[in-house]
Amino acid sequence: MNDVLEAVRPLLPAIAAAAADVDRYGAVDPAVIAGLADAGVFAMLQPTAFGGGQAEPDDYLAVVRDIAAACTSTGWLAGMFAVTAWHLALFDHRAQQDVWATDPGALLCASYGPTGRLEPVGDGFRLTGRWSRCAGVRHASWLIAGALVVGADGAAEDFTVAVVPRTDYVVEPVWNAVGLRGIGADEVVVSGATVPRYRTFGWVSAEQRGELAALYRLPQPTLYTHAGTTPVLGAALGLLAGRATTACPPLSPVALAGADLTLSVLQMRRNLTELMDCARADASPDAALMLRARRDQVLSFERAMNAVRLFIGQSDDDGRAERVWRDVQTARMHVANDVDRVLAVVGEFAFGLPVDEFIL
């Protein structure tokens, strides 16, 4: 049973009622964030050692879908805050202690573009840079930032990410997108912050994998790509559910769209189940499974987008469809939802061509 989902459901009417204001004023009320935190949403993928739920991925995505059905921006933040907690669980235990030991509810935002520089200094680094699209930064107290490790000559030697506290960065409020207006994906500037080496991270090594719970042995891109699609899927499902009483006959485009969205939920559930089976067996999933999971995930986005399009311009529209449509167009820019690129790789693989980016 998904206890978090049960705890969230009483909050959904108020979240839905506030959705227009979230879009109008460009912010999710901190009281809503606090309510979702109390319900355990953001800690679903957090280790139990730090008070988290360490939940099954499908349970987490079900919660994100329901929240996004009420408000896409709020659902987006729910998905991203949970998945950044998942990522922190891959770091050195000392980094997790820094973030969660005194505040198990601490939230992390992230920007993974390598737009920062990490210069080695003693046993750590000095971090400098500017990062864009840091969704949820106004609610977070820590940042995960992508950066290049540079040598003494200034040349890039490696790519990694660093975790820094709110006291080490400045937020520049620039987010003014067409959709997802409430996610507050502002820019962040860090100017020479000291970062202990244990608060930097590249990829999980073979040695580390054996020490991690199955949830944290999933391929690293998996939850991020699903987190970028699931809010849109939830928003489309919410839009269809709200218009069910006025839908056309059973074979209408609306009914077919509903079937497509249900198919997407089932496909994603199947793929994540198989990926978790591999993780429990400490086995790496093969290219066919990784590609299928990525294919079904991006097709879920495309089906959701097509479903939302059906409601644009309806005479009885109260503005919700247009608002969700703008959310979809903004989410379309996320790397997780690059349908053409992913399907091109899937096609190459189907014809036996070498594929070296199937995990992206």
Side-chain angles (χ1 to χ4, degrees):
M1 180 179 177
N2 193 335
D3 293 335
V4 175
L5 186 58
E6 293 303 312
V8 162
R9 280 177 175 155
L11 307 178
L12 297 179
I15 292 173
D21 284 343
V22 168
D23 180 70
R24 183 177 300 111
Y25 300 115
V28 175
D29 192 320
V32 171
I33 298 297
L36 294 175
D38 289 344
V41 173
F42 308 132
M44 288 193 77
L45 303 181
Q46 191 169 316
T48 54
F50 290 99
Q54 210 164 300
E56 290 295 307
D58 188 60
D59 288 344
Y60 147 70
L61 294 179
V63 170
V64 173
R65 282 197 305 271
D66 272 20
I67 297 171
C71 172
T72 323
S73 287
T74 307
W76 188 276
L77 291 181
M80 292 303 171
F81 280 142
V83 84
T84 50
W86 176 87
H87 189 190
L88 183 62
L90 308 185
F91 278 73
D92 187 291
H93 192 76
R94 290 171 292 175
Q96 299 176 58
Q97 286 275 4
D98 286 353
V99 176
W100 287 322
T102 59
D103 182 9
L107 301 178
L108 301 97
C109 62
S111 181
Y112 289 99
T115 54
R117 291 166 55 89
L118 280 167
E119 303 173 70
V121 178
D123 292 333
F125 298 94
R126 181 183 296 112
L127 176 66
T128 301
R130 175 185 292 269
W131 292 265
S132 61
R133 299 181 181 178
C134 300
V137 66
R138 303 175 197 177
H139 305 286
S141 52
W142 291 80
L143 167 73
I144 299 178
L148 295 174
V149 178
V150 297
D153 60 354
E157 296 180 345
D158 194 10
F159 165 71
T160 187
V161 294
V163 178
V164 293
R166 179 65 182 83
T167 51
D168 284 350
Y169 58 87
V170 175
V171 179
E172 296 190 355
V174 300
W175 183 249
N176 189 28
V178 170
L180 292 176
R181 291 179 53 78
I183 68 173
D186 293 322
E187 292 189 356
V188 168
V189 179
V190 177
S191 302
T194 299
V195 183
R197 186 172 296 273
Y198 68 79
R199 274 205 250 127
T200 62
F201 173 83
W203 293 91
V204 174
S205 67
E207 293 77 17
Q208 285 174 294
R209 279 182 59 89
E211 301 172 0
L212 297 172
L215 176 63
Y216 308 110
R217 292 201 293 262
L218 282 172
Q220 284 179 249
T222 299
L223 290 177
Y224 281 97
T225 55
H226 283 70
T229 290
T230 298
V232 176
L233 180 58
L237 286 164
L239 200 58
L240 263 67
R243 305 304 171 85
T245 57
T246 59
C248 298
L251 295 180
S252 70
V254 172
L256 291 175
D260 279 345
L261 298 185
T262 299
L263 174 63
S264 292
V265 171
L266 295 175
Q267 286 179 324
M268 291 167 75
R269 179 176 298 156
R270 174 196 62 180
N271 296 333
L272 286 169
T273 296
E274 293 185 22
L275 287 167
M276 280 297 293
D277 287 344
C278 289
R280 289 188 179 94
D282 198 17
S284 297
D286 61 18
L289 174 55
M290 288 296 298
L291 277 170
R292 190 223 300 160
R294 192 73 163 93
R295 177 202 67 191
D296 292 344
Q297 170 254 310
V298 294
L299 287 178
S300 295
F301 173 81
E302 186 166 63
R303 291 166 185 154
M305 180 173 63
N306 291 337
V308 174
R309 184 185 286 117
L310 295 174
F311 296 103
I312 300 299
Q314 284 194 0
S315 58
D316 64 341
D317 183 32
D318 59 2
R320 180 182 178 187
E322 181 268 341
R323 183 172 69 246
V324 172
W325 179 248
R326 288 189 284 107
D327 292 337
V328 170
Q329 296 311 304
T330 301
R332 190 178 187 181
M333 305 304 294
H334 194 281
V335 65
N337 299 321
D338 191 339
V339 178
D340 290 340
R341 176 172 174 266
V342 173
L343 294 185
V345 175
V346 172
E348 290 169 1
F349 182 79
F351 279 93
L353 299 175
V355 172
D356 60 3
E357 57 176 346
F358 60 83
I359 66 170
L360 301 178

